[in-house]
Amino acid sequence: MTETSAVSDSAQETEFPIPSGVYAEKVVSVEHYTDRLFKFRITRPAALRFRSGEFVMIGLPNAEKPVFRAYSVASPSWDEELEFYSIKVEDGPLTQHLQKIKPGDTVLMRKKPVGTLVNDALISGKTLYMISTGTGIAPFASLIREPETYEKFDKVVLTHTCRDVGELTYGHDIVAAAKADPLVGEEATKQLVHVGSTTRETSDRMGRITKQIEDGSLFEHLGLPPLNPETDRGMICGSMEMLKDVKALFEKAGMTEGANNRPAEFVVERAFVD
Ligand code: A2P
């Protein structure tokens, strides 16, 4: 090894101590989907308890005061490892480093999981609409492998809208994994429907989800009636603009927003992007 190649491009800078109050976990695997998206799995702290759909704060041990960002846990509450799905932003304070992690590297995680995209924040219903764009699919990757989701709802509709076809791959993978899962596979096969669409590349199904709800093409495609507050429930995860627009459509249909201490017909969470 020459002296110059000894300069590491790794995300790790081990001279910094691990801050107090955080877990230091090991990267188990990393998979890059596109030049904008990747997933990674880390070891799970034995003491961690969380509800499927919640998020945690993630950082790297590369500074005295590491930068932390909110990440939805994309694996279910019963899984032995933790999965995360992330965007890569060239100058993103965290993701410019995080996108370079390798198995064996250390990832920091603050101890308290939180969030509103949880089954507890919804009243029971017949159909649960999980509406996501981009990396907003992450909490639903957790919830579609959670047995309670299928006990609470007869039908689970996961919509995922991305700019192009390559960005839909993770959604196809997690739905296939849920249907093959020994714990929820039978229920997922019967009850889970996945609707992927693109907005900037030609594909079988095109258009923003807001348009598909407004013009009724989503319900036509599913063979389901339009939104009904008596039977339908919703969870929304995407950009701020997308949340605002989908929330307005749910409210127009007569659905009200819920929270952990006040379950109702739909809940909202921002997909946290650098
Ligand atoms: P569009 O291509 O028309 O902007 P991003 O990668 O920028 O987060 O976008 C993910 C997906 O979310 C894209 O398909 C994008 O469509 C869509 N999108 C962006 N803003 C909204 C919105 N306000 N309502 C619904 N979908 C949106």
Side-chain angles (χ1 to χ4, degrees):
M1 187 182 273
T2 65
E3 275 199 23
T4 45
S5 69
V7 176
S8 169
D9 190 35
S10 162
Q12 304 289 290
E13 299 287 348
T14 44
E15 69 263 32
F16 292 104
I18 305 295
S20 62
V22 304
Y23 296 117
E25 297 303 314
K26 289 281 173 232
V27 176
V28 178
S29 63
V30 184
E31 189 175 336
H32 292 269
Y33 281 89
T34 68
D35 55 2
R36 286 210 317 147
L37 297 164
F38 71 113
K39 81 163 182 193
F40 59 97
R41 292 179 72 89
I42 65 172
T43 52
R44 178 175 179 159
L48 177 76
R49 295 282 173 277
F50 72 99
R51 293 176 297 173
S52 294
E54 288 189 312
F55 67 85
V56 290
M57 303 300 292
I58 291 285
L60 286 170
N62 61 358
E64 196 72 48
K65 286 195 176 160
V67 173
F68 282 86
R69 288 286 179 270
Y71 273 87
S72 290
V73 183
S75 44
S77 61
W78 49 263
D79 205 336
E80 284 168 13
E81 294 169 356
L82 300 175
E83 180 167 313
F84 300 96
Y85 184 52
S86 179
I87 195 144
K88 306 175 197 178
V89 179
E90 212 175 302
D91 54 357
L94 177 62
T95 66
Q96 63 171 306
H97 304 294
L98 194 65
Q99 62 181 282
K100 295 181 191 151
I101 53 171
K102 304 247 171 342
D105 285 353
T106 300
V107 167
L108 306 179
M109 198 176 100
R110 288 219 180 105
K111 293 193 171 171
K112 195 165 161 38
V114 283
T116 55
L117 295 187
V118 290
N119 282 316
D120 291 348
L122 291 178
I123 50 180
S124 296
K126 268 169 98 171
T127 302
L128 172 60
Y129 286 91
M130 299 172 162
I131 309 288
S132 69
T133 54
T135 55
I137 195 170
F140 304 134
S142 172
L143 283 158
I144 63 169
R145 289 178 65 204
E146 173 59 57
E148 194 196 345
T149 305
Y150 301 103
E151 286 158 19
K152 198 160 174 173
F153 304 98
D154 297 340
K155 200 164 201 93
V156 178
V157 176
L158 170 63
T159 81
H160 189 208
T161 310
C162 296
R163 296 179 186 188
D164 51 51
V165 174
E167 296 185 344
L168 293 176
T169 308
Y170 183 69
H172 289 293
D173 286 359
I174 59 158
V175 169
K179 291 188 175 182
D181 193 294
L183 190 63
V184 298
E186 208 172 302
E187 289 80 2
T189 302
K190 281 195 215 127
Q191 295 166 246
L192 175 64
V193 189
H194 174 216
V195 184
S197 63
T198 57
T199 49
R200 300 192 192 184
E201 186 183 3
T202 307
S203 70
D204 294 347
R205 193 169 180 80
M206 293 198 61
R208 286 188 172 191
I209 195 63
T210 38
K211 180 173 172 293
Q212 297 178 51
I213 294 173
E214 269 180 309
D215 68 14
S217 59
L218 175 67
F219 310 107
E220 214 171 285
H221 172 73
L222 293 165
L224 290 172
L227 291 174
N228 176 351
E230 296 296 315
T231 53
D232 295 337
R233 305 291 170 255
M235 290 182 168
I236 320 171
C237 192
S239 64
M240 287 307 280
E241 280 301 302
M242 175 274 195
L243 299 184
K244 185 166 71 60
D245 293 349
V246 179
K247 179 179 148 128
L249 292 173
F250 279 174
E251 285 174 341
K252 196 170 151 201
M255 295 159 72
T256 49
E257 185 173 355
N260 273 290
N261 58 357
R262 189 177 27 85
E265 283 111 21
F266 76 92
V267 279
V268 169
E269 199 126 83
R270 183 171 169 233
F272 304 91
V273 182
D274 258 331

